[in-house]
Amino acid sequence: MKLKNKALLKKNSYIHGKWLHSKKEFPVTNPYNSDIIAQVTNHGKEETNQAIAAAAEAFKIWSKFSASKRSKILKNWRKLQLENLEDLATILTTEQGKPLAEARGEIKYGASFVEWFAAEALRVYGDVIPGHMANKRITVIKQAVGVVGAITPWNFPSAMISRKVAPALAAGCTVVIKPSELTPLSALALAQLAEEAGMPSGVFNVVCGTDAAAIGQEMCSNPELRKISFTGSTRVGKILLSQSADTIKKVSLELGGNAPFIVFDDADVDKAVEACISSKFRNAGQTCICTNRILVHKSIHDSFVEKLAIKIKALKVGSGLDVETEVGPMINTAAIKSVSALLENAIQEGANISEGGHLIKDQLFEPTLVVNATKDMDLFKKEIFGPIAAVYKFETEQEAIELANDTKYGLAAYFFGSDYRRIWRVSEALEYGMVGINTAMISTTLAPFGGVKESGFGREGSKYGMDEYLNIKYMAWDV
Ligand code: SIN
């Protein structure tokens, strides 16, 4: 890997300000060609325990820093992220596969959370409430929850760390991060920059390891760790939630999605097609908020499908490091197996493949268009997490809403149309945490990101994001 700043390529866990090596290692591979990029230290339960103890010790110091001191260190971290943008994007694309342009976007997206929460650190306001008796006064303050465990996914290996860690550190918490074993290098590069930014030892810890179950279990059961923030599958989210019950931890979960993308008969079809392509094929379809079920009114169905097929056919698939590439490889062979099974099931149930449908080579899957899809297919029920666009027909607004809500998930939903009354009706009827109206670009630091139902709870980003890392304390005064 060609990097200007070679110090960013770290291969050891970062615990209590030290890069800890172990003889046990695991390989990190490039999903485009399966080349081994690095052998990374394989740590587990014991080192997680060590990291939590270090973070608990550091909490005593970090939480007592003035908000402006923490804010300044966060600003340094952001500055370093942007100064090292090209290297961070190269590391990200090499271990994760997404096109370089998307990787650059992800680094900037991550840095925007650090900028936002560096400012929010200065605004952790309390309250004064009228007393309940003549001689009583009530004040409210907000305090950092303590040590935070951040368990982050492979699909956004950099931004999901910044999105969790920035508000945690701004609030005065310290962190132990468990990055996905598929993409630990982005996390370690961020740790290197955190150290350069001036974060004291133990404030920012990263434990790398393949035994995610043991690391997760230690985080959830250790009473010194007070908060778990997880982004990943609903299956794992449920395990972490139940494991956190014993010590009653504060938990936030950003889990799976099954996003509907509704196109009403009065929609701007060209605009909807553009948005559908960007939402469906971002990161080769491997994001929690990717369009999953495209519901199109029968009167515009054929013209929508025709336009969508042209755009899908034109997508350039290849190595993320190639500047021409728009859709990179899928993360691993398990992901390929999963999308292949979904397609097989759809074909058996009567759907047709109008574009793509094949594995090109290794982990490169053709952007695919499935038509005549129905709600009985696995494609409708499961999170696709791959480059497959499946189109369904509907006739009435009520039917579209029912189809959209017919899932256990509730993360993101999108719809296109122009009648403002319908826009309000549909926005309110959709059982989702986030709704894109005539847009699929919903990810921004300024808005609360999160879901309902089995997509989880808690919000990341925005003015609400800090609350996840703060406890409210009320003080009653006798005066
Ligand atoms: C995710 O897929 O979990 C995050 C996507 C985003 O923040 O846009």
Side-chain angles (χ1 to χ4, degrees):
M1 205 183 318
K2 282 200 187 110
L3 300 177
K4 274 193 233 118
N5 181 358
K6 296 203 169 33
L8 291 179
L9 191 58
K10 289 285 189 275
K11 297 167 187 171
N12 297 318
S13 294
Y14 183 66
I15 299 173
H16 205 191
K18 295 202 169 58
W19 297 97
L20 287 195
H21 182 63
S22 140
K23 281 197 187 116
K24 279 196 236 150
E25 292 178 330
F26 64 96
V28 178
T29 55
N30 179 336
Y32 175 66
N33 52 19
S34 304
D35 284 357
I36 293 178
I37 314 161
Q39 293 287 352
V40 170
T41 284
N42 198 348
H43 280 146
K45 177 178 157 59
E46 200 184 312
E47 293 78 12
T48 308
N49 183 287
Q50 244 175 283
I52 294 169
E57 214 35 50
F59 178 71
K60 293 179 196 154
I61 301 161
W62 182 254
S63 60
K64 297 286 180 304
F65 277 11
S66 69
S68 72
K69 190 164 174 180
R70 288 198 299 270
S71 175
K72 266 191 204 125
I73 295 174
L74 281 169
K75 282 183 194 154
N76 292 344
W77 190 38
R78 169 188 175 261
K79 187 166 168 276
L80 289 166
Q81 289 181 21
L82 295 179
E83 281 171 9
N84 289 277
L85 175 75
E86 280 308 311
D87 282 347
L88 293 175
T90 302
I91 293 171
L92 204 167
T93 290
T94 311
E95 68 174 345
Q96 200 277 337
K98 67 179 64 176
L100 212 39
E102 280 190 40
R104 289 190 189 106
E106 179 175 340
I107 303 300
K108 287 188 204 156
Y109 182 44
S112 72
F113 289 100
V114 186
E115 179 182 29
W116 174 262
F117 286 108
E120 286 296 280
L122 307 176
R123 300 190 195 108
V124 182
Y125 300 128
D127 229 336
V128 180
I129 297 174
H132 51 304
M133 288 179 201
N135 65 334
K136 296 285 186 282
R137 301 289 180 270
I138 296 169
T139 53
V140 175
I141 59 168
K142 292 183 180 177
Q143 293 178 300
V145 297
V147 178
V148 172
I151 305 179
T152 56
W154 53 262
N155 63 341
F156 286 85
S158 189
M160 294 305 102
I161 291 178
S162 302
R163 186 154 90 179
K164 293 178 191 311
V165 166
L169 297 183
C173 301
T174 52
V175 296
V176 177
I177 302 158
K178 157 69 178 90
S180 164
E181 60 277 21
L182 301 174
T183 55
L185 302 178
S186 293
L188 295 174
L190 288 179
Q192 168 65 22
L193 296 177
E195 182 175 271
E196 286 177 33
M199 283 183 205
S201 302
V203 168
F204 189 112
N205 305 275
V206 182
V207 180
C208 299
T210 52
D211 194 348
I215 296 172
Q217 163 100 58
E218 175 59 26
M219 282 187 173
C220 293
S221 59
N222 191 318
E224 284 203 287
L225 192 140
R226 294 305 323 145
K227 154 98 195 180
I228 290 278
S229 177
F230 171 67
T231 295
S233 70
T234 294
R235 184 187 68 78
V236 173
K238 287 180 184 181
I239 296 172
L240 296 174
L241 186 58
S242 70
Q243 288 177 344
S244 297
D246 212 32
T247 47
I248 314 287
K249 290 195 202 317
K250 207 170 157 94
V251 176
S252 11
L253 301 171
E254 198 259 274
L255 308 175
N258 188 2
F261 185 104
I262 310 171
V263 191
F264 287 107
D265 49 0
D266 58 351
D268 176 336
V269 171
D270 291 322
K271 191 172 167 182
V273 167
E274 270 313 324
C276 187
I277 290 284
S278 66
S279 161
K280 178 66 253 181
F281 295 100
R282 177 180 177 216
N283 198 14
Q286 303 170 113
T287 91
C288 306
I289 57 168
C290 266
T291 287
N292 219 51
R293 296 168 296 151
I294 307 164
L295 312 172
V296 185
H297 189 267
K298 67 169 190 176
S299 66
I300 51 163
H301 173 273
D302 293 353
S303 76
F304 180 88
V305 164
E306 198 179 310
K307 290 176 183 194
L308 192 65
I310 294 170
K311 296 259 180 209
I312 289 178
K313 203 180 171 68
L315 288 169
K316 300 244 172 355
V317 185
S319 159
L321 292 173
D322 181 339
V323 285
E324 303 258 286
T325 295
E326 292 166 300
V327 179
M330 297 194 65
I331 190 69
N332 55 21
T333 49
I336 295 286
K337 235 169 123 178
S338 158
V339 292
S340 305
L342 287 175
L343 272 186
E344 218 168 280
N345 168 273
I347 293 163
Q348 269 167 16
E349 296 288 327
N352 303 102
I353 296 191
S354 119
E355 276 307 325
H358 303 104
L359 188 63
I360 301 170
K361 69 175 187 87
D362 304 325
Q363 282 152 221
L364 279 183
F365 203 91
E366 278 183 316
T368 298
L369 178 58
V370 176
V371 290
N372 297 326
T374 68
K375 63 179 278 203
D376 303 318
M377 297 171 184
D378 288 348
L379 274 179
F380 185 91
K381 298 173 203 153
K382 295 190 176 166
E383 190 175 21
I384 298 173
F385 237 65
I388 300 175
V391 183
Y392 307 76
K393 255 186 224 170
F394 70 87
E395 291 192 26
T396 65
E397 178 183 316
Q398 197 48 35
E399 186 190 358
I401 292 168
E402 279 169 20
L403 284 169
N405 288 340
D406 187 5
T407 171
K408 63 181 182 177
Y409 297 107
L411 192 57
Y414 311 96
F415 70 91
F416 284 69
S418 52
D419 174 352
Y420 81 90
R421 288 189 183 85
R422 174 153 66 193
I423 286 174
W424 268 104
R425 279 197 305 272
V426 175
S427 300
E428 288 178 359
L430 288 170
E431 296 163 357
Y432 288 83
M434 299 175 280
V435 178
I437 304 156
N438 291 319
T439 180
M441 307 250 297
I442 58 170
S443 299
T444 161
T445 313
L446 308 178
F449 192 104
V452 298
K453 294 163 75 179
E454 291 195 20
S455 290
F457 50 80
R459 292 295 178 266
E460 296 192 306
S462 81
K463 67 172 182 174
Y464 305 102
M466 284 288 272
D467 292 339
E468 304 291 333
Y469 301 93
L470 292 165
N471 285 329
I472 287 178
K473 182 182 281 173
Y474 135 61
M475 293 179 272
W477 303 65
D478 184 75
V479 293

